[in-house]
Amino acid sequence: MHPEPRPPTQEPQAPSPPTRPLRRLLLTGAAGGLGRVLRPRLQAHAGIVRVSDIAEMAPAGEGEEVMPCDLADKAAVDRLVQDCDAIVHLGGISVERPFEEVLEANIRGTFHVYEAARRHGVRRLVFASSNHVVGFHRQTERLDLDAPRRPDGYYGLSKSFGEDLSRFYFDRYGIETACLRIGSSFPEPKDRRMLSTWLSYDDLAELVRCCLFAPRLGHTVVYGVSANRDSWWDNAGAAHLGFVPRDSSEPFRARVEQQPRPADGDPVLLYQGGAFVTQGPFETP
Ligand code: NAI
Ligand code: 15L
């Protein structure tokens, strides 16, 4: 059992600004859409940013180390995590795919990251969860952080596993994690659903900063969403992070609403997970 008294989780408290930069911060998924956004912005928070992916990455700049790694390779992940004092874990399959693919990258891969964190004394992680852990809730519902999870596919299930896994590593070993249930983080909202789920890149970067430096993180789940007019998610239970989104999808509304409206009853407009709820099954031998 984790021997120290732990801070209560998801308890509101006064936010304070970052104080001490990290020594070495690991970023997984660095070649991906959000990895490329966060990579330069994390420089401000750490002496060295170690960036990793299975795909090709830009060469190391000043204050960076580039370490290619397959998250499914336990020994490689162990080497990757060595000497890091915090991890932003974005790497993995980011869409609905056959279970076997999701199993390797997201389920085994995230387990490998946590095992390595335990072995090497990493105290804090930011885990990219997803809105697809609650994707089967209706768009008419407003969810707080205690809402039951209703994953909308293998991908959502893998993120739900990551949330439970990180909870276990906190309860057992005191390793703190923020699970970011990211909505839709793109340069701008692409469709009607994203008017509710959009997370701007600036708000994403600020959320990650808050999670890295919150005085007490414990195990916190938070929706990664900008201050959108019609958001479905309530982050009151994560107020201790001090995250205040600045952007909103409203400036994009007029343009998005020029798109043809999906038919009544289309899952895209019924479920919070949108089209993900209809993807699969995948017939694999
Ligand atoms: P992405 O697909 O662009 O990037 C994911 C990266 O992980 C890729 O560069 C890929 O090569 C890497 N990866 C996949 N399998 C790997 C493996 N076995 N070993 C090492 N690296 C591997 O996804 P994006 O949009 O950048 O998302 C980042 C994270 O945030 C993902 O975990 C995703 O599930 C999560 N997320 C993103 C959202 C978004 O709106 N962009 C919404 C919700 C969650
Ligand atoms: C996700 O979890 C995906 O990683 C991203 O590509 C988007 O599809 C997003 O959710 C979304 O729900 O819009």
Side-chain angles (χ1 to χ4, degrees), residues 28-36 52-57 68-73 77 89-95 101 104-106 109 127-132 155 159 180-186 194 197 199 201 204 224:
T28 71
L34 300 188
R36 279 179 279 124
S52 184
D53 204 291
I54 198 172
E56 193 174 344
M57 292 166 280
C69 177
D70 181 353
L71 292 164
D73 180 340
V77 174
H89 179 41
L90 306 184
I93 303 293
S94 64
V95 291
E101 285 180 40
E104 290 305 315
N106 293 18
F127 167 59
S129 182
S130 170
N131 72 88
H132 295 286
Y155 167 68
K159 296 297 187 180
L180 314 187
R181 287 185 184 164
I182 301 170
S184 307
S185 197
F186 298 100
M194 288 193 194
T197 60
L199 174 66
Y201 288 161
L204 168 70

Side-chain angles (χ1 to χ4, degrees), residues 4 14 25 41 43 47 52 60 67 72 74-75 80 82 85 111 118 122 159 161 165 196 216 230 246 261 268 282 285:
E4 300 297 322
L25 172 64
R41 299 184 191 217
Q43 283 283 331
S52 184
M67 280 183 70
K74 189 175 187 184
L80 179 68
Q82 191 168 12
D85 44 5
F111 168 66
R118 177 188 67 77
V122 177
K159 296 297 187 180
F161 171 80
L165 184 79
S196 295
R216 295 194 307 167
D230 299 334
R246 303 280 173 208
R261 195 180 167 79
V268 161
F282 302 93

Side-chain angles (χ1 to χ4, degrees), residues 57-222:
M57 292 166 280
E62 203 182 326
E64 286 187 333
E65 295 170 346
V66 174
M67 280 183 70
C69 177
D70 181 353
L71 292 164
D73 180 340
K74 189 175 187 184
V77 174
D78 191 75
R79 291 190 293 276
L80 179 68
V81 168
Q82 191 168 12
D83 297 325
C84 294
D85 44 5
I87 302 173
V88 176
H89 179 41
L90 306 184
I93 303 293
S94 64
V95 291
E96 185 61 357
R97 296 292 300 157
F99 181 73
E100 291 74 11
E101 285 180 40
V102 173
L103 174 65
E104 290 305 315
N106 293 18
I107 295 183
R108 283 193 208 285
T110 303
F111 168 66
H112 294 161
V113 168
Y114 274 88
E115 263 304 276
R118 177 188 67 77
R119 283 169 46 79
H120 294 295
V122 177
R123 305 306 300 161
R124 187 171 287 200
L125 289 89
V126 178
F127 167 59
S129 182
S130 170
N131 72 88
H132 295 286
V133 301
V134 291
F136 259 118
H137 284 279
R138 296 276 177 152
Q139 293 183 6
T140 47
E141 294 175 75
R142 185 163 170 86
L143 307 183
D144 65 17
L145 295 165
D146 295 323
R149 283 181 241 157
R150 298 182 70 176
D152 58 25
Y154 304 134
Y155 167 68
L157 282 163
S158 76
K159 296 297 187 180
S160 189
F161 171 80
E163 292 192 6
D164 282 340
L165 184 79
S166 56
R167 177 81 227 187
F168 166 73
Y169 275 85
F170 177 61
D171 288 338
R172 180 76 192 264
Y173 304 111
I175 298 172
E176 295 185 299
T177 293
C179 296
L180 314 187
R181 287 185 184 164
I182 301 170
S184 307
S185 197
F186 298 100
E188 52 187 70
K190 299 177 191 171
D191 55 28
R192 283 182 166 76
R193 173 180 165 273
M194 288 193 194
L195 292 173
S196 295
T197 60
W198 187 59
L199 174 66
S200 73
Y201 288 161
D202 285 349
D203 283 342
L204 168 70
E206 172 61 4
L207 177 57
V208 170
R209 185 194 70 80
C210 289
C211 294
L212 286 173
F213 296 106
R216 295 194 307 167
L217 184 65
H219 184 267
T220 298
V221 176
V222 58

